[in-house]
Amino acid sequence: MMKNVLFLAHSGSAGGAEYCLDTTLRFLDREKIEPYVIFPWEGPMVESARKMGIPVEICRLNWWFWYRPSGWEWKNRLRIPWYVGHLARRIRQKRIETVYSNTACLFEGALAARLAGVPHVTHIHEVLEERFLEPRWFSLPWMVRFFYRWSRWVVYESKESAEIGRKWLRDDSLFDAKTRVVSNSCRFLLPENHYRKRSPKAKKRILWVGTFSERKNPGMLVEALRRLKCREDWDALLVGAGPLEMELRTKIAGYGLESRCSVWPFQEEILPVLEEGDFLVLTSQEESFGLVLVEAGMLGLPVIATRTQGPTEIVEEGTQGFLVEPEDDRNLAEKITFLLEQDEKRREWGENFRNKILEKYHPAKNTAQLMDLL
């Protein structure tokens, strides 16, 4: 029997959680679930849903963290009863049977679902730590208790991220009853005979992909690169956009690495970027999952990641890549040197990683887990 499900997205733009929702929608069994999606603004994720033939609506939603403090933001809070009422009416009009919020930054979906008398699922794509969730309306313990009170299920991307939620909830029985962990999935599948197209005679290339932000910490890679004493011919490609871009470019120039390091703008299509690399580095200070690691693994690239929440579960150290402590650029430089100099290890670890991605992060398999909850 088909079930009508309302999906709430916190953004119509491109990003990690947004890509995860897009993958879920793409691999849904439409004979079992009929999706209806509400976005707060237009963007590439909205267009993608429309191309899939999924009905969408644009409706303003509040973020209770990561918002920009302003007079407009305060005025928007005053409209919350109207937004919740509008969502509840839509739930009734569309005969929605379950509401799914694709982030912890939205709260109206849980209230509207309760008002309409249908269950709600919260999918948390964020690490619930104080440092990177500022500004926010309430304390983290209060916000986490809200999700558990008003949701049938609370879904996390990794076990370590879930344990942080347990810390704030302080109620093990409620946590165990409502918590589920469903890993994110690779956005694309490649045939078994797919190989990188780069010439083996080209320079060995180090990849970094993400937002140029404090949390993603791209400067750690630049600090490591200035320490390299590798005899191999190499270069590095940093791909992304964000508030630290100018600071990053200044640091590259200050260390005399302009001939080695290139900074490319954000790329909607990640596959051509990954084709350019020999291995990928992720330097986040915290990371609830690390979608780019899974995407690199699908292409058979080994990785070096910081020892944070999601990466510790994705990367098996010594067989698929390395894990280093956040901010330890000296150790990162050592691991980069190893992968640059060990051609056979790169190939072997990349193949191991690809096998793991196909087994554990296959989009059809993980979407099926979410469908069971919905």
Side-chain angles (χ1 to χ4, degrees):
M1 183 175 179
M2 185 177 293
K3 192 164 196 174
N4 295 327
V5 177
L6 170 62
F7 292 82
L8 293 179
H10 71 298
S11 163
S13 306
E18 294 89 338
Y19 285 139
C20 293
L21 176 59
D22 188 74
T23 302
T24 297
L25 295 173
R26 196 174 301 280
F27 284 87
L28 276 179
D29 185 343
R30 299 284 291 275
E31 293 184 358
K32 295 181 179 179
I33 288 182
E34 183 59 38
Y36 180 76
V37 190
I38 289 181
F39 294 92
W41 61 74
E42 293 283 352
M45 296 296 97
V46 183
E47 287 306 309
S48 178
R50 286 175 176 145
K51 288 178 181 177
M52 290 183 238
I54 296 173
V56 303
E57 178 182 345
I58 306 300
C59 175
R60 180 65 201 174
L61 299 168
N62 283 273
W63 292 15
W64 60 357
F65 56 80
W66 289 346
Y67 60 89
R68 294 182 180 179
S70 65
W72 179 89
E73 196 276 332
W74 275 101
K75 290 179 182 178
N76 204 48
R77 293 190 197 186
L78 298 176
R79 300 188 180 101
I80 289 173
W82 186 88
Y83 295 145
V84 173
H86 174 76
L87 285 175
R89 285 193 296 273
R90 275 287 181 268
I91 291 169
R92 297 188 186 102
Q93 290 168 357
K94 299 290 183 180
R95 298 185 179 180
I96 299 297
E97 297 165 86
T98 302
V99 178
Y100 167 96
S101 294
N102 187 54
T103 174
C105 23
L106 296 179
F107 60 92
E108 293 104 326
L111 296 177
R114 180 61 63 91
L115 194 61
V118 301
H120 178 264
V121 176
T122 298
H123 197 155
I124 297 178
H125 292 274
E126 301 80 15
V127 177
L128 299 176
E129 290 284 19
E130 305 242 357
R131 180 178 178 185
F132 293 107
L133 296 185
E134 296 288 352
R136 62 177 185 272
W137 295 3
F138 305 108
S139 69
L140 276 173
W142 192 96
M143 294 168 74
V144 173
R145 286 196 294 271
F146 171 90
F147 289 130
Y148 276 86
R149 178 182 178 184
W150 298 94
S151 301
R152 176 62 187 89
W153 301 111
V154 179
V155 184
Y156 296 86
E157 300 174 318
S158 64
K159 293 178 182 177
E160 286 207 22
S161 293
E163 288 304 312
I164 293 172
R166 182 197 294 271
K167 175 183 71 174
W168 298 118
L169 184 62
R170 301 169 189 164
D171 184 337
D172 286 349
S173 61
L174 183 60
F175 178 88
D176 293 337
K178 291 195 172 186
T179 298
R180 295 294 182 269
V181 176
V182 179
S183 296
N184 295 332
S185 309
C186 189
R187 286 186 286 158
F188 52 84
L189 294 171
L190 297 175
E192 291 185 10
N193 61 352
H194 183 91
Y195 296 100
R196 286 191 316 115
K197 299 173 183 177
R198 292 189 70 226
S199 165
K201 296 180 181 180
K203 293 180 179 179
K204 295 181 175 67
R205 175 161 288 169
I206 305 155
L207 284 180
W208 188 100
V209 180
T211 305
F212 299 140
S213 65
E214 180 186 1
R215 186 172 71 88
K216 294 291 187 177
N217 197 20
M220 179 182 173
L221 175 59
V222 180
E223 293 290 345
L225 294 179
R226 77 183 179 98
R227 296 180 180 275
L228 287 190
K229 298 181 175 66
C230 180
R231 295 187 298 272
E232 300 293 327
D233 196 9
W234 62 269
D235 63 15
L237 177 59
L238 293 91
V239 182
L244 298 185
E245 181 172 347
M246 289 308 299
E247 179 181 320
L248 185 65
R249 291 180 181 274
T250 300
K251 181 174 285 192
I252 290 171
Y255 291 151
L257 291 171
E258 300 101 318
S259 63
R260 295 276 199 177
C261 297
S262 300
V263 178
W264 285 11
F266 170 79
Q267 307 288 310
E268 185 73 36
E269 296 295 330
I270 190 66
L271 185 56
V273 174
L274 296 176
E275 291 274 10
E276 292 290 323
D278 289 277
F279 59 93
L280 180 125
V281 177
L282 182 69
T283 53
S284 304
Q285 295 187 44
E286 64 172 18
E287 190 68 62
S288 63
F289 186 70
L291 184 61
V292 71
L293 297 176
V294 171
E295 293 169 338
M298 178 62 73
L299 207 62
L301 299 182
V303 297
I304 306 173
T306 45
R307 198 181 301 275
T308 49
Q309 294 77 20
T312 58
E313 296 178 20
I314 296 173
V315 182
E316 185 176 314
E317 191 166 18
T319 63
Q320 299 159 358
F322 289 114
L323 294 169
V324 300
E325 296 301 322
E327 304 288 358
D328 191 351
D329 54 90
R330 188 182 299 275
N331 190 20
L332 177 58
E334 294 172 359
K335 303 308 184 189
I336 289 174
T337 299
F338 179 89
L339 284 183
L340 286 173
E341 294 179 341
Q342 300 292 325
D343 295 353
E344 189 56 38
K345 283 293 183 186
R346 285 201 314 277
R347 286 191 289 271
E348 177 189 338
W349 290 6
E351 184 176 340
N352 292 342
F353 199 23
R354 175 174 163 79
N355 290 337
K356 179 178 182 178
I357 300 308
L358 288 171
E359 177 184 351
K360 191 170 182 181
Y361 303 106
H362 193 290
K365 295 178 182 178
N366 290 349
T367 300
Q369 292 184 53
L370 278 179
M371 285 179 57
D372 287 343
L373 298 180
L374 296 174

